[in-house]
Amino acid sequence: MLIVMRKSATDEQIDRVLEVAKSQGLTPVPIPGAQRTAVGLTGNQGAIDPRPFQELEGVRECIRVSRPYKLVSRETKPDDTAVTVHKTKIGGGDLGLIAGPCGVESAEQALTIARHVRKAGATLFRGGLYKPRTSPYSFQGMQEQGLGIIEDIKAETDLGIVTEVIDRSSLDAVLPVVDMVQVGARNMQNFRLLRAVGQCGKPVLLKRGMSATLEEFFMAAEYILSEGNYGVVLCERGVRTYLDHTRNTLDLAVIPAVKDLSHLPIIADPSHAAGIRSMVRPLALAAAAAGADGLMVEVHHEPDKALSDGPQSLLPEDFDKLARAAKAIHQTQQAQTA
Amino acid sequence: MLIVMRKSATDEQIDRVLEVAKSQGLTPVPIPGAQRTAVGLTGNQGAIDPRPFQELEGVRECIRVSRPYKLVSRETKPDDTAVTVHKTKIGGGDLGLIAGPCGVESAEQALTIARHVRKAGATLFRGGLYKPRTSPYSFQGMQEQGLGIIEDIKAETDLGIVTEVIDRSSLDAVLPVVDMVQVGARNMQNFRLLRAVGQCGKPVLLKRGMSATLEEFFMAAEYILSEGNYGVVLCERGVRTYLDHTRNTLDLAVIPAVKDLSHLPIIADPSHAAGIRSMVRPLALAAAAAGADGLMVEVHHEPDKALSDGPQSLLPEDFDKLARAAKAIHQTQQAQTA
Amino acid sequence: MLIVMRKSATDEQIDRVLEVAKSQGLTPVPIPGAQRTAVGLTGNQGAIDPRPFQELEGVRECIRVSRPYKLVSRETKPDDTAVTVHKTKIGGGDLGLIAGPCGVESAEQALTIARHVRKAGATLFRGGLYKPRTSPYSFQGMQEQGLGIIEDIKAETDLGIVTEVIDRSSLDAVLPVVDMVQVGARNMQNFRLLRAVGQCGKPVLLKRGMSATLEEFFMAAEYILSEGNYGVVLCERGVRTYLDHTRNTLDLAVIPAVKDLSHLPIIADPSHAAGIRSMVRPLALAAAAAGADGLMVEVHHEPDKALSDGPQSLLPEDFDKLARAAKAIHQTQQAQTA
Amino acid sequence: MLIVMRKSATDEQIDRVLEVAKSQGLTPVPIPGAQRTAVGLTGNQGAIDPRPFQELEGVRECIRVSRPYKLVSRETKPDDTAVTVHKTKIGGGDLGLIAGPCGVESAEQALTIARHVRKAGATLFRGGLYKPRTSPYSFQGMQEQGLGIIEDIKAETDLGIVTEVIDRSSLDAVLPVVDMVQVGARNMQNFRLLRAVGQCGKPVLLKRGMSATLEEFFMAAEYILSEGNYGVVLCERGVRTYLDHTRNTLDLAVIPAVKDLSHLPIIADPSHAAGIRSMVRPLALAAAAAGADGLMVEVHHEPDKALSDGPQSLLPEDFDKLARAAKAIHQTQQAQTA
């Protein structure tokens, strides 16, 4: 932490900062400048709360230096983490493909789509049983009734299964069946749920919150890692901005930023960012070119009848093309980087 | 819903829109214009999903007309709702004052502050037992250990008690003791929790999510009302923007907007919006002038030692002044409106 | 500036930072910590560009300490600046009222409104001759044709005149007639225009840009002051956010933030923030309660016929009430602060 | 336009809407629904101002249907526009490469860089003579002194020249020398400047404003087209959001959105979006994959000595690699789309 004093700060005020710092077990280092003095604080273990100093007389600003995340930091673990989900490795250099409907609606619907996406090259199946919906009057998912369907899909297709959990009881319900649990954007700071999935023993797909900073995203992952679960895959799905031509604004710069600061893999969900089918493909290709470790894409064979997110779901034949194109872009990107 | 066709749309494409509408039980009304045709859809009960139409050939845009909220709408209930919490009525014309520390840290701390804020005119005490913290390494609240403290405060001061719940188990724990349960910003779309507080039989303070639109805010309240609990007080606490001179951007325009569209009362939390003590007072006064039904303010007698949110907590003597000033502004505002 | 090294930074990398700093005439102060080293840079005159250091090996982050604004800073001039416009002092403790139509449309329209707002207590008249419009097909203002009207208003009512300029030629045209020139939000970073008004010898009303940070707002003012013109009044008019219930999000926290960091006065424009009549009053009162030095309000006696911004213009009788209420709130706020 | 009435609206209130519509020369079409009535308005030439209706009694909402842009709309001109700048066609299927320093600093600097980027495959040279800088104390560009340098570059390298103009006088100065004039983000709504470049007879590179919506971006282009200049290339350069890991948030979804709604070509500027060198490449590749018609990249052979934007400038050798990689991604994307 750096405490910047006002130009007009008196020696007494500076001394008071030193005192407060020492009383907190910190080592203050005064840095006298031409115009003003600053005080560096060292000796801390984690992040220092900037704010106790903020209101002292003569203090103009407290500037945080340490980052609060530890286990997710590349400084802690320099090598890339690869997370194995069923037979797929996410983060090892390949482009992982997770695909399926927004929600599981029936055995026939889910199986039809699962067969399609496997043929197109996906190795992981997504399909929500517990749907967090903005309206209490919307379809909330098949919940426990859909568990058998998911088991059947896995048995028939050998696809790994990814599904969302929204609280402790839904987590308990899906754990025996799934290969990866997903924490959705609305629950990125549901800290009780983060701790629970941290203890669940399965890989976790952590979606970025609607307006999460990168640091908050990392701290949410830190909750999971701090419970001993290192199998975390981050997922960029767009953030809320003033823009109105897509549902959310896909922040692709977060991909190189994550790779710089953390060892965790990161994938992109172009479907939720786009909100509309015609935008999914360009955003998917862009994510692959930016270095994403995978893509999660919504697919539905009858999007007009989908109970949720139909309009942003790709038709199976369009997913075929997208999968092919994304892999080609990924290979080009890898070849050019090598 | 209004379906706007492209200029180049053919009669067949328009007919296809009519068909799809009818197949969904809707009544389409074509509106031929000089340059293009639009199709109004009526006959729906709730909101129509714009998106099934969006991808039909020849469709340029689907414009939603119905609002998805019902029970919270002033069209459903034209008169203001007043929510009684212990002996305080929020929404009846007075300015409700909820005050206390961010978190309950000890019996002494909480009682000291409770006595102060009561003397200053607050009638409701806030104090978190379950703290949702960005970092897993931060103080997470006294949890069950603090329940007795809260009971003591109520017994001694007769202040009504408001405290945050973060999941079913924390809700169960606090219900016997508190007068109002709070759903925090990070849980505004934790729909399971919303349903649970909707069934809990106590008034609910619903804080606005970090980047919630007004419609999402209303829909979160709708979850609670749809479970039969009409005792909901909304709370504006700032939203996330690009601005960096406060922690969150207090959106005071939401106060008249809520009053226009809904019957529910709305209060403001200037402490979380400000993030720093010196900003709390001007924002509190501004909220009162904008027509807020109450204020929720963080107060601590030793903010330097607070385990959370110390720097934005007012000293008791500053809260005295704020309470007096806010009541004066409220009275002036009421007098000028009458 | 503070240069934070990576944990893994070598001594050579730290030395390289010291070298680069010295080569730029700066004095580096190493601050070795438990986990990593930081380097404080002092000896600079203005702000140091963080970025030359950012790409050096071993550097994790460059944290700016100095603020780039000088003349606008309260550290440079501790006392409040009051700006006198015709006979009105803005910033001296009173609540200045600037009112009038969005645009001057005819002599009759402008004079009718001017008489009304003077009677209601406004002492400054606003009325645009040069209107920056989003669409090239919209009314662009009366331009030079309206100059005579403005002269007549001043002659008859003795109101001071405030009008917007959009380039050098419009500035030259209005200068002989007006008491204060306005730089609109869209031109807040039109640096040539800022320099020109800095040399014009008349007070300047500087509106905040659509998405300007406080620092950018200050730097725009710095352009004007650096040309020798200290008569600058800042104007908050709402910023762009994701919110859709008002046209812009009024950022009232900027008022105490400006007063903390700068000596310049700041007023609020609730009309442009609201975008709709019914919101103007609550936002105006909120701004007064937050400590604004004045209000600028759009008024039109026939808003349905206004060529611009009719729907956010108050009727004269509503402006009467607003002026009265805002003054009452201002007095209450002043009395409580004293 | 669609006027949505409140549920409680009376027949008189609906009649009043019909009247007002007719008085404005519009044809109202009532659409009675189960719960409420809406009124469609047709017969308009351009966009209808929603707001005159907004304040009528019984009106709940006015929903705009027409888009205000005409000449830039794909509905007006279905075929893609390709803009020829010197010998480069932007928008014809190739990936245009514009590269060079942020600002021209000396003949040697500019020529060195120009030779490099030409060798790497760029066909257009960027280099600012008039730099809009946030601070009045920063380098403002060589201005007229740099004109000769630019002429020399063109003579020697045969690169087309792109440079920014900031007002009428800078436009007049550069016109004889350059192949394309650039309007920067801060001037996107400097409407006088837009009209001037609309009359200048040279192609225009229009950068998106800091927080411009797509519609505002189109309307800025409309100003230029409405003066008879159809040679407009749009440029996405990132928008302002709450995110802090890049300088601006690159909005790649705008690329397919522009291609859907307009015939104009669009390129991306990853340098200004990134703000830091290491992010430029992934964003450039992502833009190419998303379908951009070109890239504009800042390059400097001695970025540590650059007078502006050094830290986001690529070294010449890195630009070589980026150019190669971007072309490979572009080809892959084109091949997969065909």
Side-chain angles (χ1 to χ4, degrees), chain B residues 300-329:
Chain B
H300 202 292
H301 62 304
E302 295 178 318
D304 288 6
K305 299 188 183 154
L307 297 178
S308 58
D309 281 355
Q312 76 197 24
S313 296
L314 290 188
L315 289 164
E317 55 268 32
D318 291 331
F319 179 68
D320 286 3
K321 289 181 205 152
L322 179 145
R324 219 173 308 129
K327 295 214 162 196
I329 293 283

Short mmCIF file of all heavy atoms in Angstrom, two decimals, chain B residues 300-329:
data_model
loop_
_atom_site.label_atom_id
_atom_site.label_comp_id
_atom_site.label_asym_id
_atom_site.label_seq_id
_atom_site.Cartn_x
_atom_site.Cartn_y
_atom_site.Cartn_z
N HIS B 300 -20.25 3.50 13.28
CA HIS B 300 -19.33 2.75 14.14
C HIS B 300 -18.62 3.74 15.05
O HIS B 300 -18.20 4.80 14.60
CB HIS B 300 -18.31 1.98 13.27
CG HIS B 300 -17.69 0.81 13.97
ND1 HIS B 300 -16.83 0.94 15.04
CD2 HIS B 300 -17.80 -0.53 13.75
CE1 HIS B 300 -16.45 -0.27 15.45
NE2 HIS B 300 -17.03 -1.18 14.68
N HIS B 301 -18.52 3.38 16.33
CA HIS B 301 -17.88 4.33 17.25
C HIS B 301 -16.36 4.22 17.20
O HIS B 301 -15.66 5.10 17.67
CB HIS B 301 -18.38 4.09 18.69
CG HIS B 301 -18.04 2.74 19.22
ND1 HIS B 301 -18.42 1.58 18.58
CD2 HIS B 301 -17.36 2.36 20.32
CE1 HIS B 301 -17.99 0.54 19.27
NE2 HIS B 301 -17.34 0.98 20.32
N GLU B 302 -15.85 3.15 16.63
CA GLU B 302 -14.40 3.02 16.47
C GLU B 302 -14.11 2.50 15.06
O GLU B 302 -13.65 1.36 14.88
CB GLU B 302 -13.83 2.04 17.50
CG GLU B 302 -13.96 2.52 18.93
CD GLU B 302 -13.43 1.48 19.92
OE1 GLU B 302 -13.70 0.27 19.73
OE2 GLU B 302 -12.74 1.88 20.86
N PRO B 303 -14.38 3.33 14.07
CA PRO B 303 -14.29 2.84 12.68
C PRO B 303 -12.91 2.30 12.33
O PRO B 303 -12.79 1.41 11.48
CB PRO B 303 -14.67 4.05 11.83
CG PRO B 303 -14.63 5.22 12.73
CD PRO B 303 -14.83 4.73 14.12
N ASP B 304 -11.86 2.82 12.98
CA ASP B 304 -10.52 2.33 12.65
C ASP B 304 -10.34 0.87 13.04
O ASP B 304 -9.47 0.18 12.50
CB ASP B 304 -9.45 3.14 13.38
CG ASP B 304 -9.31 4.53 12.80
OD1 ASP B 304 -10.11 4.88 11.91
OD2 ASP B 304 -8.40 5.26 13.22
N LYS B 305 -11.17 0.41 13.97
CA LYS B 305 -11.03 -0.97 14.42
C LYS B 305 -12.11 -1.88 13.82
O LYS B 305 -12.16 -3.07 14.11
CB LYS B 305 -11.12 -1.04 15.95
CG LYS B 305 -10.02 -0.23 16.65
CD LYS B 305 -10.01 -0.46 18.14
CE LYS B 305 -8.96 0.42 18.82
NZ LYS B 305 -9.29 0.70 20.23
N ALA B 306 -12.98 -1.32 13.00
CA ALA B 306 -14.07 -2.12 12.44
C ALA B 306 -13.51 -3.26 11.59
O ALA B 306 -12.51 -3.09 10.89
CB ALA B 306 -14.99 -1.25 11.60
N LEU B 307 -14.16 -4.41 11.67
CA LEU B 307 -13.70 -5.56 10.90
C LEU B 307 -14.18 -5.50 9.46
O LEU B 307 -13.74 -6.27 8.62
CB LEU B 307 -14.18 -6.86 11.58
CG LEU B 307 -13.60 -7.07 12.98
CD1 LEU B 307 -14.16 -8.35 13.59
CD2 LEU B 307 -12.07 -7.14 12.93
N SER B 308 -15.12 -4.63 9.17
CA SER B 308 -15.54 -4.44 7.77
C SER B 308 -16.13 -3.05 7.63
O SER B 308 -16.76 -2.54 8.55
CB SER B 308 -16.58 -5.50 7.36
OG SER B 308 -17.70 -5.47 8.20
N ASP B 309 -15.89 -2.44 6.49
CA ASP B 309 -16.52 -1.17 6.11
C ASP B 309 -16.28 -0.02 7.09
O ASP B 309 -17.06 0.94 7.10
CB ASP B 309 -18.04 -1.36 5.93
CG ASP B 309 -18.36 -2.00 4.58
OD1 ASP B 309 -17.42 -2.19 3.78
OD2 ASP B 309 -19.53 -2.29 4.34
N GLY B 310 -15.23 -0.11 7.91
CA GLY B 310 -14.95 0.98 8.83
C GLY B 310 -14.89 2.35 8.15
O GLY B 310 -15.52 3.30 8.61
N PRO B 311 -14.16 2.46 7.06
CA PRO B 311 -13.92 3.78 6.48
C PRO B 311 -15.18 4.47 5.94
O PRO B 311 -15.16 5.66 5.72
CB PRO B 311 -12.93 3.49 5.35
CG PRO B 311 -12.28 2.21 5.76
CD PRO B 311 -13.35 1.43 6.45
N GLN B 312 -16.23 3.70 5.70
CA GLN B 312 -17.46 4.36 5.24
C GLN B 312 -18.44 4.52 6.40
O GLN B 312 -19.52 5.08 6.21
CB GLN B 312 -18.09 3.59 4.08
CG GLN B 312 -18.82 2.33 4.47
CD GLN B 312 -19.06 1.42 3.27
OE1 GLN B 312 -18.36 1.48 2.27
NE2 GLN B 312 -20.05 0.58 3.35
N SER B 313 -18.06 4.08 7.57
CA SER B 313 -18.96 4.19 8.73
C SER B 313 -18.85 5.58 9.34
O SER B 313 -17.75 6.11 9.49
CB SER B 313 -18.59 3.15 9.79
OG SER B 313 -18.80 1.85 9.28
N LEU B 314 -19.99 6.14 9.68
CA LEU B 314 -20.00 7.44 10.35
C LEU B 314 -19.69 7.25 11.83
O LEU B 314 -20.07 6.25 12.44
CB LEU B 314 -21.38 8.07 10.23
CG LEU B 314 -21.81 8.55 8.85
CD1 LEU B 314 -23.12 9.33 9.00
CD2 LEU B 314 -20.75 9.44 8.22
N LEU B 315 -19.07 8.24 12.41
CA LEU B 315 -18.95 8.29 13.86
C LEU B 315 -20.33 8.63 14.41
O LEU B 315 -21.13 9.32 13.75
CB LEU B 315 -17.95 9.38 14.26
CG LEU B 315 -16.50 9.00 13.93
CD1 LEU B 315 -15.61 10.22 13.97
CD2 LEU B 315 -16.02 7.94 14.93
N PRO B 316 -20.62 8.18 15.63
CA PRO B 316 -21.94 8.45 16.20
C PRO B 316 -22.32 9.93 16.16
O PRO B 316 -23.45 10.28 15.81
CB PRO B 316 -21.81 7.93 17.63
CG PRO B 316 -20.81 6.82 17.52
CD PRO B 316 -19.82 7.28 16.49
N GLU B 317 -21.38 10.81 16.48
CA GLU B 317 -21.73 12.23 16.50
C GLU B 317 -22.05 12.74 15.10
O GLU B 317 -22.88 13.63 14.91
CB GLU B 317 -20.62 13.07 17.16
CG GLU B 317 -19.24 12.92 16.55
CD GLU B 317 -18.40 11.84 17.23
OE1 GLU B 317 -19.01 10.84 17.72
OE2 GLU B 317 -17.16 11.98 17.29
N ASP B 318 -21.38 12.17 14.09
CA ASP B 318 -21.69 12.58 12.72
C ASP B 318 -23.05 12.04 12.29
O ASP B 318 -23.77 12.67 11.51
CB ASP B 318 -20.61 12.09 11.76
CG ASP B 318 -19.30 12.83 11.98
OD1 ASP B 318 -19.35 14.01 12.40
OD2 ASP B 318 -18.23 12.24 11.74
N PHE B 319 -23.39 10.86 12.81
CA PHE B 319 -24.72 10.33 12.50
C PHE B 319 -25.81 11.20 13.12
O PHE B 319 -26.86 11.43 12.51
CB PHE B 319 -24.86 8.88 12.96
CG PHE B 319 -26.23 8.33 12.68
CD1 PHE B 319 -26.67 8.11 11.39
CD2 PHE B 319 -27.12 8.07 13.72
CE1 PHE B 319 -27.94 7.63 11.12
CE2 PHE B 319 -28.39 7.59 13.47
CZ PHE B 319 -28.81 7.37 12.17
N ASP B 320 -25.57 11.68 14.32
CA ASP B 320 -26.52 12.63 14.94
C ASP B 320 -26.85 13.76 13.98
O ASP B 320 -28.01 14.08 13.71
CB ASP B 320 -25.90 13.30 16.18
CG ASP B 320 -25.84 12.37 17.37
OD1 ASP B 320 -26.22 11.19 17.23
OD2 ASP B 320 -25.38 12.82 18.43
N LYS B 321 -25.77 14.37 13.50
CA LYS B 321 -25.95 15.53 12.61
C LYS B 321 -26.64 15.12 11.32
O LYS B 321 -27.52 15.82 10.82
CB LYS B 321 -24.59 16.16 12.30
CG LYS B 321 -23.98 16.89 13.49
CD LYS B 321 -22.64 17.51 13.11
CE LYS B 321 -21.75 17.69 14.34
NZ LYS B 321 -20.32 17.65 13.98
N LEU B 322 -26.21 13.99 10.78
CA LEU B 322 -26.83 13.53 9.53
C LEU B 322 -28.32 13.28 9.75
O LEU B 322 -29.15 13.66 8.92
CB LEU B 322 -26.14 12.27 9.03
CG LEU B 322 -26.74 11.69 7.74
CD1 LEU B 322 -25.65 11.08 6.88
CD2 LEU B 322 -27.82 10.67 8.01
N ALA B 323 -28.67 12.65 10.86
CA ALA B 323 -30.08 12.32 11.10
C ALA B 323 -30.89 13.61 11.17
O ALA B 323 -31.98 13.72 10.59
CB ALA B 323 -30.22 11.51 12.39
N ARG B 324 -30.35 14.58 11.90
CA ARG B 324 -31.06 15.86 12.02
C ARG B 324 -31.20 16.54 10.64
O ARG B 324 -32.29 16.98 10.27
CB ARG B 324 -30.27 16.77 12.97
CG ARG B 324 -31.16 17.57 13.87
CD ARG B 324 -30.36 18.33 14.92
NE ARG B 324 -29.45 17.48 15.65
CZ ARG B 324 -28.13 17.71 15.84
NH1 ARG B 324 -27.58 18.81 15.33
NH2 ARG B 324 -27.38 16.88 16.52
N ALA B 325 -30.10 16.58 9.91
CA ALA B 325 -30.13 17.25 8.60
C ALA B 325 -31.07 16.52 7.64
O ALA B 325 -31.84 17.15 6.91
CB ALA B 325 -28.71 17.32 8.03
N ALA B 326 -31.01 15.20 7.64
CA ALA B 326 -31.84 14.44 6.71
C ALA B 326 -33.32 14.64 7.02
O ALA B 326 -34.15 14.77 6.11
CB ALA B 326 -31.48 12.95 6.76
N LYS B 327 -33.65 14.70 8.32
CA LYS B 327 -35.07 14.93 8.68
C LYS B 327 -35.50 16.32 8.25
O LYS B 327 -36.63 16.52 7.78
CB LYS B 327 -35.27 14.73 10.18
CG LYS B 327 -34.98 13.27 10.58
CD LYS B 327 -35.87 12.77 11.71
CE LYS B 327 -35.82 11.24 11.69
NZ LYS B 327 -36.85 10.59 12.44
N ALA B 328 -34.60 17.28 8.41
CA ALA B 328 -34.94 18.65 7.99
C ALA B 328 -35.16 18.71 6.48
O ALA B 328 -36.11 19.33 6.00
CB ALA B 328 -33.84 19.62 8.42
N ILE B 329 -34.28 18.06 5.74
CA ILE B 329 -34.44 18.04 4.28
C ILE B 329 -35.74 17.33 3.91
O ILE B 329 -36.50 17.79 3.05
CB ILE B 329 -33.24 17.32 3.61
CG1 ILE B 329 -31.94 18.12 3.78
CG2 ILE B 329 -33.53 17.03 2.14
CD1 ILE B 329 -31.79 19.32 2.87
#
